[in-house]
Each structure stands twice: as C-alpha cells, then as structure tokens.
C-alpha cells in the first residue's frame, strides 16, 4: 500500500459551528474540500497510530462518497482499524455508543442533523473523541487553525470498500470492519430499560406512533420498537433512510412533524407519539392531546428516571443548556442534586458526564440524553418515556399535570428568525450587548428588567471559559428572554429568541402557552429591534 501525499490549498470557511462543519453539499463538493477538513481533524490529534477510528453518517446525500474518502485517509494517516456502520449508517448516538464499546480513539460522523439533505441541501462532518462525545472547543479551534494553512492531505490508492457487506477487509496494515449499525446500540438500550415492562404495556393495547422522518432512526426504531418491544408493524412511520429525507426537513418540531402532531391531537390519537431527526439525536414527545416541550421533557424524565433499571440508583446531577427552561432546576432541587447550566452545544456536557457530576442532560433544542453515551439520544428519550409510562400506567397528560402540580410550570417558547442577513443579525446582537448595562430597571409594559448579561461559562472540570453564549434579559418575578444566534445554520444567520415565564404551584397551570407568554413576546421588538435591524416582523418557526 502506498500512501499518497496530495497537494492542496486551504479554504477559509472551515470553522466548525455548534456541532461540526455544516455547509451546503456543493460547498463540500469543491475539490479537496472534505479531504482538507478530514486531514485537519487528523492533524489536530496526537497518538492515534494503530488505534481504531469509527466512521458513519446519517445516510444523507454525499454520505457514501465522503465515507470512502474518510476510510482511505484514515488508513493513510495510520489508524489500525476503521469501523464503519453498514451502508455508511450510524446515528449520532449509535456512533457515540460504538466509539465507547470498541474503545476507539475517535469517530467521524457525517451529518447535518435536522437540516435538509439532497444535492443542493446540507452536509456536515464532525469529530467525536474517545469518550464518544463531540470534540471540545480546544480541538475544534485547532482543526480550524490547521484548515487555514493546510498544504497536503494523505490518502491511499485503493478501490472503494463494499459498505453493504458485514466483515473485515485488510488494506495495507489496517483493517476495515463493516458492522451492523444497530446491534451495539440496541443492546445498550436493553441494559438501561425494562423491556419486559414496556412489552407488557404494548401488549395491553398501548399504541405508539414513531416518525423517523425518512432519516437514520428508521432501522433503529424498527428493530427496537417493532421487533424487540412488540409494537405492531407500521408503528415506525417514514422508516427508510432516504438521501433527501423525502424532500422534508428531518427536524422533529411542531412545524416539520406536523402530521404526527395532528395525529396526536386527533380523536383517535395513539397513546404516545414521538419523532427523531436526521441523525437520531433529537426527539419530539407528544402524548395524546399534549405536546411536551423539550425543556419539560427533560424535567419530567429526570423526575421519573429512577423508574428505569439503568437509573434506579438515582441521578448524580442534571445539566441543561442556558436557554433551556428552568423546569429541570426545580427537579434537581427536589432531588437534592446539583444543576449545571452550560452554553448551547452538547459538547459542553461531556466533561460533566465524564467527571460523574451529571447523569441526565438536556437542551431546549429537542435534545435529551444521559451518561450512557456522550451525545444526545432521540430513541433513548423515547424509551425512557415508554419505561416511565409502563411503570406508572398513567397517560402522558396525567404525568405532565402531576409534574406541574408538584413543581410549577415553566411556560416556554422559542421564536426563530431564519436565513436573516448575517450583518444585520450581528448588528442587532451588538446593539443589545451595548445596552446590557442600562437595561436593568427599565420597564416594558408591566415587565421590569431585573438583570441582563451575556452568558459566560466556566467549565468546572477543566477550567476553560466560553464567552458571549447568549444575551439574557431577566425580569422581576422570574420571567426571562434570551437572544442568541444559531451556530448550526448553513445560510445567513438564524436569530433565536427564547421566552420563558414561570407559574408557581397554585397558579394557573393550564394556560395555552401563547397566552401565558404574550406580554413577554410583546417586549421583544422594543428590547432587540429585530424588525428594525432585519426587516422581519414575524418569526419563521415557533417551537
Ligand atoms: C446541535 C448541538 C446542540 C444544540 C443545537 C442547536 O444540535 O448538538 O447541542 O443545542 O445544535 O444549536 P443552535 O441553536 O446553535 O442552532 P444538532 O442536533 O443540530 O446536532
């Protein structure tokens, strides 16, 4: 086997965002674009000669091509074993599971998550470290720095590997191993949850609808829900991963999973509805007649996790991203465990999980997970819900109402302004930042600003700091609005506005969310001037 050194020139735009490098497919199709980034990943790492690298992706358009590039480059750079999910498939949580199960040095995961796929849509590459979690900023910063000066990449001359046949192939001094993408993950789920109890629940006529959104969770959900837990065939909808996700956004929110939402709000709704995203790390939970917000789902899962075998010893701590509602904080308080508030991005939970400081983590962006892997995990959340439902034998609605009556309710919504001109969005944020000192004491209608700041995080494990992670406007009485720019978009900027109002126990816990937060929504323009800066008068998506 000859290692080829291919001369290349840098691209200036390979800065990883919230979760890896995400760009449109034609950007990735530029000469050497993917190879440059993959070589920059390898050049940022030390000591991997002879070790194992995991490679997989969510099956979107361009997945197979980049998998072949990554296999050749992994071999040329000296990995001893390359483990690839059959068909080039590994969901993000399954990739995390496989990295841990096989003691791999790290993994390359090809995905643009919930973003659409296809020849002109989105693609992405991220690197996960040996704990199975996303590379921390120290590494992503190094990757970016290397990508700006790269002059060569290493590859080998070899035919494509047959991705569809399990087994091992020796190439030079390395082994390429194609594995079943589902088996290790499904085995882990069987360890964590009471499959017998869930099977009994299903056997009693409990009906589940799971929308895989033509994305990667199809094979996982079919194996686990239909084959192992006894849900009838057809429980998993849109269960075949398609390169363009059937032309839809594989984003499990109320806009893109509207069909499921409508089903769950209908007269003949199943008992439990759920969906997952492009790469399987996000989740949407809907009970009969009730959408559970991701922030509430985190709190309810944390409060009931002890009902599942994997968590019966209790939680060490709960972590949530800053924009996620404070519902989980009240559960942590009641359980007497610490609550950690981190910046947006699953990578910030890794240190807390590794240090044994937190067991369950969650984000408002439909992500929940635990210390079983180092990524958020859509099907895990579905299975924990099913385990809780099997143990409590109550409806999702009853569990939610009981939760609010014990802890109070955090009314919560996120307003997204998508594809906004980046300069206008930056100007808006800069102006807000400039007024932070003067906002406290200012009244907006009936609301008065108590404090305002730009969230900064000091990692309690490694002492690293992350600044400018979102502008928080906290009102007297505990309501809050947070402004932040998304780090996962691929065109223009996305402004996210997170709106939250806490209703204590004894208050009106049965309001419609838009009514409960109407006064806060009414202050957004006066505080931030989104319309003035961007011309947008309405959000594109409300979740
Ligand atoms: C990624 C990160 C999440 C983050 C989300 C939203 O999710 O893994 O931790 O909450 O992006 O980020 P933003 O608000 O910056 O768009 P995913 O599912 O896209 O990988």
């Amino acid at each position: 086997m000859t290692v080829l050194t291919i001369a290349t020139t840098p691209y200036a735009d390979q800065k990883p965002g919230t979760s890896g490098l995400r760009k449109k497919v034609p950007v990735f199709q530029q000469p050497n674009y993917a190879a440059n980034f993959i070589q920059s990943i390898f050049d940022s790492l030390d000591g991997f000669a002879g070790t194992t690298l995991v490679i997989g992706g969510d099956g979107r358009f361009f997945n197979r091509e980049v998998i072949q590039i990554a296999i050749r480059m992994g071999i040329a750079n000296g990995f001893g074993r390359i483990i690839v999910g059959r068909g080039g498939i590994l969901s993000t949580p399954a990739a995390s599971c496989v990295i841990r199960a096989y003691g791999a040095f790290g993994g390359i995961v090809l995905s643009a998550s919930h973003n659409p796929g296809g020849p002109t849509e989105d693609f992405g590459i991220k690197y996960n470290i040996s704990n199975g979690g996303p590379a921390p900023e120290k590494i992503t910063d190094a990757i970016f720095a290397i990508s700006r000066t790269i002059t060569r990449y290493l590859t080998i001359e070899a035919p494509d590997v047959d991705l569809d046949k399990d087994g091992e192939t020796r190439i030079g001094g390395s082994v390429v191993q194609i594995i079943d993408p589902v088996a290790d993950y499904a085995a882990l789920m069987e360890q964590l949850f009471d499959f017998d109890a869930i099977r009994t629940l299903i056997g009693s006529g409990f009906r589940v609808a799971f929308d895989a959104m033509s994305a990667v969770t199809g094979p996982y959900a079919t194996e686990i829900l239909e084959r192992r837990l006894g849900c009838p065939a057809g429980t998993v909808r849109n269960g075949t991963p398609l390169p363009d996700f059937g032309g839809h956004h594989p984003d499990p929110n109320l806009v893109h999973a509207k069909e499921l939402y409508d089903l769950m709000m209908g007269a003949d709704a199943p008992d439990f509805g759920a969906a997952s995203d492009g790469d399987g790390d996000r989740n949407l939970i809907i009970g009969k007649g009730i959408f559970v917000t991701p922030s509430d789902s985190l709190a309810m899962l944390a409060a009931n996790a002890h009902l599942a075998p994997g968590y019966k010893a209790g939680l060490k701590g709960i972590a949530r991203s800053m924009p996620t509602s404070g519902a989980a904080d009240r559960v942590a308080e009641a359980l007497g465990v610490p609550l950690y508030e981190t910046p947006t991005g699953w990578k910030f939970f890794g240190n807390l999980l590794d240090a044994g400081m937190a067991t369950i983590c969650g984000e408002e962006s439909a992500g929940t997970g635990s210390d079983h892997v180092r990524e958020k995990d859509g099907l895990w959340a579905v299975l924990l819900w099913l385990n809780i439902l099997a143990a409590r034998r109550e409806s999702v609605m009853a569990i939610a109402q009981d939760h609010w009556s014990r802890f109070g309710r955090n009314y919560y919504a996120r307003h997204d302004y998508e594809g906004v001109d980046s300069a206008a969005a930056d100007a808006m944020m800069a102006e807000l930042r400039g007024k932070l000192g003067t906002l406290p004491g200012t009244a907006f209608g009936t609301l008065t600003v108590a404090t305002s700041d730009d969230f900064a995080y000091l990692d309690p494990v490694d002492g690293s700091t992350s600044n400018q992670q979102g502008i928080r406007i906290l009102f007297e009485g505990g309501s809050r609005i947070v402004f932040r720019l998304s780090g996962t978009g691929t065109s223009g900027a996305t402004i996210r506005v997170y709106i939250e109002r806490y209703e204590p126990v004894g208050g009106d816990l049965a309001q419609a969310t838009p009514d409960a937060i109407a006064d806060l929504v009414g202050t957004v323009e006066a505080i931030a001037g989104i319309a003035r800066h961007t011309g947008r008068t309405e959000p594109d998506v409300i979740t």
Side-chain angles (χ1 to χ4, degrees):
M1 178 195 77
T2 321
V3 173
L4 307 174
T5 302
I6 311 288
T8 188
T9 48
Y11 288 91
D13 63 347
Q14 297 197 325
K15 185 173 172 50
T18 308
S19 186
L21 183 68
R22 289 189 191 163
K23 301 279 177 197
K24 295 286 176 204
V25 167
V27 175
F28 270 103
Q29 286 171 327
Q30 296 174 91
N32 300 340
Y33 192 90
N36 274 17
F37 189 70
I38 293 169
Q39 188 64 49
S40 301
I41 293 173
F42 294 150
D43 286 350
S44 76
L45 308 171
D46 273 326
F48 57 81
T51 66
T52 298
L53 177 72
V54 171
I55 302 178
D58 63 11
R60 68 179 57 228
F61 186 87
F62 209 40
N63 192 54
R64 282 174 175 262
E65 289 85 339
V66 178
I67 287 203
Q68 299 289 356
I69 293 172
I71 292 172
R72 288 192 189 95
M73 290 182 64
I75 295 169
N77 277 273
F79 282 95
R81 178 172 291 262
I82 314 266
I83 296 179
V84 187
R86 189 194 315 122
I89 292 287
L90 276 176
S91 76
T92 286
S96 186
C97 164
V98 168
I99 290 170
R100 294 165 70 83
Y102 292 77
F105 187 89
I108 289 181
V109 185
L110 308 178
S111 169
S113 187
H114 52 291
N115 295 359
T120 57
E121 296 294 355
D122 294 359
F123 191 76
I125 304 180
K126 60 180 173 170
Y127 179 70
N128 283 26
I129 58 176
S130 61
N131 72 356
E137 282 189 332
K138 194 170 63 189
I139 294 182
T140 54
D141 288 349
I143 295 170
F144 180 47
I146 292 165
S147 76
R148 301 185 63 151
T149 56
I150 191 167
T151 56
R152 60 91 185 96
Y153 67 88
L154 306 181
T155 188
I156 55 164
E157 211 161 352
D160 279 359
V161 172
D162 182 354
L163 298 177
D164 299 305
K165 211 167 108 230
D166 289 6
E168 300 191 353
T169 317
R170 180 161 287 280
I171 303 178
S174 312
V175 171
V176 178
Q177 182 181 1
I178 307 295
I179 62 164
D180 177 344
V182 177
D184 296 289
Y185 177 83
L188 178 59
M189 294 301 113
E190 291 228 32
Q191 281 169 30
L192 296 174
F193 301 117
D194 187 346
F195 272 39
D196 286 338
I198 301 174
R199 256 192 302 270
T200 306
L201 177 74
I202 304 293
S204 72
F206 185 92
R207 285 161 60 215
V208 176
F210 180 87
D211 190 344
M213 305 191 87
S214 305
V216 81
T217 48
Y220 295 87
T222 305
E223 172 65 27
I224 295 172
L225 297 177
E226 297 188 1
R227 294 206 193 97
R228 301 198 186 192
L229 291 171
C231 290
T235 296
V236 177
R237 294 142 192 258
N238 303 311
T240 304
L242 301 174
D244 67 347
F245 309 117
H248 300 295
H249 281 239
D251 190 352
N253 63 28
L254 299 184
V255 175
H256 298 301
K258 186 166 184 311
E259 220 171 278
L260 179 73
Y261 177 79
D262 290 345
L263 173 76
M264 296 306 298
M265 297 301 136
D268 187 34
D271 300 288
F272 183 75
S276 191
D277 70 331
D279 63 333
D281 56 4
R282 297 185 174 208
N283 71 86
L284 170 70
I285 302 295
I286 315 180
K288 190 185 274 198
I290 178 174
F291 158 62
V292 184
T293 69
S295 296
D296 267 353
S297 181
L298 168 67
M300 292 168 193
L301 291 178
N304 292 284
H306 59 279
L307 299 171
Y311 306 94
K312 66 172 187 294
L315 308 181
K316 293 176 185 143
I318 304 173
R320 66 165 171 84
S321 66
M322 180 275 285
T324 304
S325 95
D329 305 27
R330 296 170 201 286
V331 175
E333 200 184 336
L335 294 175
V337 299
L339 181 287
Y340 301 94
E341 188 176 29
T342 61
T344 294
W346 202 263
K347 59 190 171 203
F348 292 101
F349 295 135
N351 280 348
L352 298 171
L353 294 168
D354 283 350
M357 294 162 76
T359 306
I360 284 194
C361 309
E363 296 188 284
E364 52 66 38
S365 56
T368 353
S370 85
D371 55 2
H372 68 291
V373 290
R374 293 293 180 274
E375 287 278 6
K376 56 189 187 275
D377 188 343
L379 262 174
W380 169 91
V382 171
L383 294 169
L384 180 49
W385 262 105
L386 286 174
N387 197 144
I388 292 165
L389 290 160
R392 288 185 56 161
R393 289 295 180 132
E394 292 169 88
S395 67
V396 174
M397 177 85 84
I399 289 174
Q401 286 170 345
D402 173 61
H403 187 94
W404 295 329
S405 73
R406 285 173 61 205
F407 297 100
R409 181 170 177 186
N410 293 69
Y411 288 101
Y412 187 88
R414 187 178 93 184
H415 291 197
D416 293 335
Y417 300 76
E418 295 179 338
V420 170
D421 176 65
S422 292
D426 288 342
M428 187 213 89
M429 290 298 281
E431 187 183 290
L432 254 180
R433 230 168 242 130
K435 350 195 253 204
L436 284 176
T438 57
L439 276 174
T442 311
F444 294 92
T446 55
L447 295 159
T448 304
V449 177
T451 59
S452 54
D453 66 5
D454 195 349
F455 182 65
Y457 180 61
L458 170 66
D459 187 309
V461 180
D462 66 14
S464 61
T465 52
S466 303
N467 298 316
Q468 301 206 332
Q469 296 295 323
I471 290 175
R472 300 192 285 190
I473 316 285
L474 303 154
F475 296 94
E476 286 172 6
S479 294
R480 162 182 105 142
I481 303 180
V482 173
F483 296 89
R484 163 175 184 266
L485 299 186
S486 159
T488 57
T490 53
S491 45
T494 295
I495 300 170
R496 302 208 195 282
V497 185
Y498 311 83
I499 301 151
E500 176 179 1
R501 183 166 82 77
Y502 178 63
E503 185 75 32
V505 175
D508 185 352
L509 300 171
Q511 297 172 64
T513 297
D515 298 340
I517 61 169
D519 53 349
L520 288 156
V521 173
T523 68
V524 168
E525 185 54 29
I527 293 174
I530 295 178
R532 179 163 47 81
H533 283 284
T534 68
R536 300 294 184 83
T537 51
E538 293 291 332
D540 300 284
V541 178
I542 297 182
T543 47

